[in-house]
Amino acid sequence: LQCLRGEISATQARTGPEPVRPMIRLSDGCWQIQGQVNNDPDVGSIDGIDGQDVYINQCTASAGQWCHVLISGRIKALCIDNSSSVLICADTIVDHVYIVNSSKVQLTIGGKIPRVVIEHCIGVELITGVQDEEHEIETEQSSGVVLSMVALPDAPLGRTISTPRTVPPPSARCCTVRA
């Protein structure tokens, strides 16, 4: 939760947090997805978010695999912290996205994504379906950051959204958003 409030110290950013137990839970208005490893696409799903924060921490996958996180609804803020080989698909982000200490992250947003901060990351791809909106992207000590603005179909919930990728493609079910 410190990530969402911008309270990560320089020491914590260098050393990283202690390992966490795998869990997905709602606590104090914030969804926490932590410790997911090589999960099935149905495992890291959250449906029907309405203005809540989402914190993704220490989710990883082994070589050639992806850790999937699927989110339907309107997210207030999204933080991805200390994660690797993570594919996140979400509807809309109202406030901001903060990605820190992570590698090989692909974030697909069907709606708007006003502000993105990327710090200490390698290989981050942002895919957004809104082309006429302004996007503020701030990077610090990061490399391999790609922004793709594509015409995503206005798919009703439950349909798969297909997007171009610069990283190895995950399974065909990666972007299924359910009600």
Side-chain angles (χ1 to χ4, degrees):
L1 299 178
Q2 294 171 326
C3 177
L4 292 170
R5 294 187 296 255
E7 297 175 2
I8 293 180
S9 69
T11 304
Q12 200 174 3
R14 282 191 303 275
T15 61
E18 294 181 21
V20 297
R21 284 188 355 206
M23 72 173 154
I24 298 175
R25 70 175 182 183
L26 177 62
S27 175
D28 296 325
C30 179
W31 280 98
Q32 298 173 26
I33 303 171
Q34 299 182 352
Q36 302 296 311
V37 179
N38 293 337
N39 66 343
D40 180 273
D42 292 330
V43 174
S45 298
I46 303 173
D47 298 327
I49 287 181
D50 187 24
Q52 296 161 323
D53 294 332
V54 176
Y55 177 62
I56 299 170
N57 180 34
Q58 295 186 20
C59 293
T60 61
S62 57
Q65 302 268 335
W66 286 89
C67 183
H68 299 82
V69 178
L70 312 175
I71 306 165
S72 72
R74 209 174 112 241
I75 302 167
K76 179 180 172 189
L78 171 66
C79 178
I80 303 158
D81 182 15
N82 200 29
S83 295
S84 176
S85 298
V86 179
L87 180 100
I88 301 123
C89 295
D91 289 339
T92 298
I93 297 178
V94 176
D95 191 16
H96 69 276
V97 174
Y98 185 55
I99 306 171
V100 63
N101 299 326
S102 297
S103 63
K104 228 171 123 181
V105 173
Q106 184 179 42
L107 174 60
T108 302
I109 304 295
K112 71 178 192 169
I113 179 170
R115 184 166 188 258
V116 180
V117 177
I118 302 168
E119 293 182 4
H120 308 282
C121 294
I122 299 171
V124 174
E125 182 175 15
L126 304 169
I127 300 170
T128 179
V130 180
Q131 297 179 359
D132 58 351
E133 299 254 345
E134 286 189 23
H135 304 281
E136 180 182 333
I137 299 174
E138 183 181 320
T139 62
E140 182 179 318
Q141 297 182 355
S142 297
S143 63
V145 176
V146 177
L147 172 64
S148 302
M149 291 189 277
V150 297
L152 296 175
D154 189 19
L157 294 176
R159 286 197 34 209
T160 299
I161 298 172
S162 171
T163 58
R165 304 187 194 319
T166 58
V167 293
S171 71
R173 297 176 57 197
C174 73
C175 292
T176 302
V177 182
R178 296 178 311 278

